[in-house]
Amino acid sequence: GAVVSQHPSWVICKSGTSVKIECRSLDFQATTMFWYRQFPKQSLMLMATSNEGSKATYEQGVEKDKFLINHASLTLSTLTVTSAHPEDSSFYICSAGGFMNTEAFFGQGTRLTVV
Amino acid sequence: AQSVTQLGSHVSVSEGALVLLRCNYSSSVPPYLFWYVQYPNQGLQLLLKYTTGATLVKGINGFEAEFKKSETSFHLTKPSAHMSDAAEYFCAVSPFTGANSKLTFGKGITLSVRP
């Protein structure tokens, strides 16, 4: 089956620093990747949609300069949280899908803690 | 616009008992409906999905769901709960099928299974 790998699984960073999260499709070409944010005991909120080779489309209310998304290849998308603050602490999940897929597949998520 | 309502935040059942997790949706177009399961600190795994055709959908791990257009519902059931079913369950809706389709999630329901 289709496998999406997210790295790291968890990360702790200092306030003011930047952190990069990777989302890789291991056995298929992902033309579209989605980035979600999940607060404790809450649902997933879509942050942005990225298509390979083009700029990401951000949902309303998501700061594009703070959450930088790059989808430079068909197997890798990255989310960089810039100048992180404690309120950015959350669980970030990506999903990916390609032309041959009937649905997107989810990564295992990244727990970000900003101290 | 689309939305999903999952009433209640927590369901507790005894092992071997029927599992029923409710999901109602709102959609201005024919919906595509999904149920996902999430274990702690992990991504989402697709349980089942409804696209077109048969309204009773069977998924993995013995789960099934029935699409009822007249009731705008897509409730998830399992005849006999197992301890390993304890997890968070999300219902989601999309305006079209395919890997590049945006999902709108409900807030999720925590399922506990008592020995």
Side-chain angles (χ1 to χ4, degrees):
Chain A
V3 179
V4 175
S5 177
Q6 232 177 294
H7 179 81
S9 297
W10 59 269
V11 57
I12 301 174
C13 71
K14 290 185 177 181
S15 186
T17 63
S18 296
V19 61
K20 181 182 288 187
I21 301 169
E22 294 185 346
C23 180
R24 292 181 184 274
S25 57
L26 299 186
D27 52 3
F28 68 99
Q29 293 185 325
T31 51
T32 303
M33 287 189 173
F34 299 92
W35 286 96
Y36 297 86
R37 182 173 180 176
Q38 185 180 29
F39 290 102
K41 300 297 183 183
Q42 294 189 31
S43 188
L44 284 76
M45 300 301 295
L46 180 65
M47 299 174 67
T49 305
S50 73
N51 295 297
E52 186 267 336
S54 60
K55 288 185 178 181
T57 301
Y58 290 81
E59 295 298 302
Q60 192 172 11
V62 177
E63 299 176 61
K64 59 180 66 176
D65 294 331
K66 181 169 187 61
F67 299 99
L68 301 178
I69 292 172
N70 183 281
H71 191 169
S73 79
L74 284 171
T75 59
L76 174 65
S77 176
T78 60
L79 167 67
T80 302
V81 183
T82 62
S83 186
H85 290 282
E87 56 265 32
D88 298 325
S89 298
S90 191
F91 194 57
Y92 293 88
I93 305 176
C94 72
S95 68
F99 285 124
M100 300 302 293
N101 303 125
T102 56
E103 76 233 22
F105 300 91
F106 285 81
Q108 70 270 39
T110 297
R111 173 74 59 193
L112 170 64
T113 301
V114 184
V115 298
Chain B
Q2 298 187 308
S3 65
V4 172
T5 301
Q6 292 183 253
L7 290 176
S9 60
H10 187 216
V11 170
S12 180
V13 301
S14 298
E15 190 174 20
L18 171 71
V19 175
L20 170 61
L21 304 180
R22 300 179 185 274
C23 172
N24 289 88
Y25 69 90
S26 173
S27 178
S28 57
V29 297
Y32 296 90
L33 295 157
F34 307 78
W35 274 100
Y36 287 88
V37 62
Q38 184 182 33
Y39 297 98
N41 292 310
Q42 293 188 29
L44 274 67
Q45 181 182 14
L46 181 66
L47 283 176
L48 48 80
K49 62 181 178 181
Y50 168 78
T51 53
T52 57
T55 56
L56 182 61
V57 181
K58 294 186 183 299
I60 62 172
N61 302 339
F63 285 94
E64 62 182 37
E66 186 171 11
F67 170 59
K68 292 187 177 180
K69 183 178 179 181
S70 61
E71 298 177 8
T72 61
S73 68
F74 190 56
H75 302 330
L76 181 70
T77 60
K78 182 174 180 177
S80 177
H82 191 272
M83 295 297 291
S84 61
D85 294 327
E88 190 81 9
Y89 291 81
F90 292 95
C91 181
V93 64
S94 174
F96 52 91
T97 189
N100 60 348
S101 175
K102 280 188 188 180
L103 293 169
T104 300
F105 288 89
K107 63 181 178 60
I109 297 176
T110 301
L111 175 64
S112 299
V113 183
R114 304 185 300 269

